Amino acid sequence: MSGVDVVIQGGHVACGATGRDGAFDVHVGAGRIVDVVAAGTPLPSGARAIDAHGCVVLPGMIELEVHLRDPGREEDEPLADALRGALRGGVTTFVGLPDTDPPVDGADDVLHRRTSVMRALGADAIAPDVIVAGCLTRDRRGKEPADIADMARAGVRVFTDATSIDDADVVRRCLEYVRGA
């Protein structure tokens, strides 16, 4: 099979969708699973083998609540360290919460967050996909909705204050605003 860069060999694969449960070889090309074949199948030409015998092979995990410290508290955990740590732990996608300083409550903040993530490891580095979450309320204070439409135009699809909002009327207005974004 062409287009296979890596073959993860002989690991235990369990997949409810396909019914596979046992030792298989996983073919990966361009960062995606291309095929799952019987363990011991000959390697495609040019593919690099990774021995996974005795290991469980899982798809990348998604972390829904990551407190990134950039901007505002980079000294607590540099962004590059957080990204590398996620990959080491098997996390390939995560939601970066808007609880930074300043909070992510407008399109400019969203663009800054995306630029920071790209800059942290360099353009060619392997990094988890970071889903940027925007604030529901301005400055995360729970008093008035943030500019949700502006952030939605910048591609934000996840909104949270990463804390509770005590005013039910503000929550209702935020939900109405999100529905229309």
Side-chain angles (χ1 to χ4, degrees):
M1 170 175 286
S2 63
V4 175
D5 304 316
V6 175
V7 176
I8 304 168
Q9 294 182 308
H12 186 99
V13 174
C15 177
T18 63
R20 289 184 176 107
D21 189 2
F24 289 91
D25 292 348
V26 179
H27 292 201
V28 180
R32 300 212 178 272
I33 295 173
V34 174
D35 203 1
V36 178
V37 299
T41 302
L43 280 177
S45 177
R48 181 173 59 99
I50 297 174
D51 183 4
H53 290 85
C55 298
V56 175
V57 180
L58 298 170
M61 292 179 278
I62 299 171
E63 172 62 54
L64 298 176
E65 185 177 333
V66 177
H67 302 273
L68 298 174
R69 303 299 182 222
D70 185 342
R73 293 184 24 218
E74 298 88 348
E75 67 281 356
D76 291 349
E77 180 180 38
L79 185 55
D81 291 353
L83 296 172
R84 282 190 208 96
L87 286 178
R88 278 194 301 275
V91 174
T92 58
T93 302
F94 64 74
V95 176
L97 295 177
D99 59 347
T100 53
D101 185 17
V104 179
D105 67 357
D108 289 344
D109 301 317
V110 171
L111 299 175
H112 173 78
R113 169 63 68 85
R114 287 189 182 139
T115 301
S116 297
V117 168
M118 291 187 312
R119 221 181 18 236
L121 292 177
D124 297 331
I126 296 173
D129 291 329
V130 178
I131 298 168
V132 176
C135 291
L136 277 171
T137 67
R138 193 164 312 282
D139 208 28
R140 294 182 59 232
R141 294 180 190 234
K143 303 295 181 199
E144 63 179 308
D147 195 346
I148 293 168
D150 190 39
M151 289 184 284
R153 281 190 295 275
V156 174
R157 297 293 177 258
V158 177
F159 296 93
T160 177
D161 270 6
T163 187
S164 61
I165 300 171
D166 295 330
D167 187 329
D169 185 54
V170 171
V171 172
R172 181 188 53 75
R173 288 181 14 229
C174 289
L175 291 173
E176 288 171 349
Y177 203 4
V178 167
R179 182 177 59 197

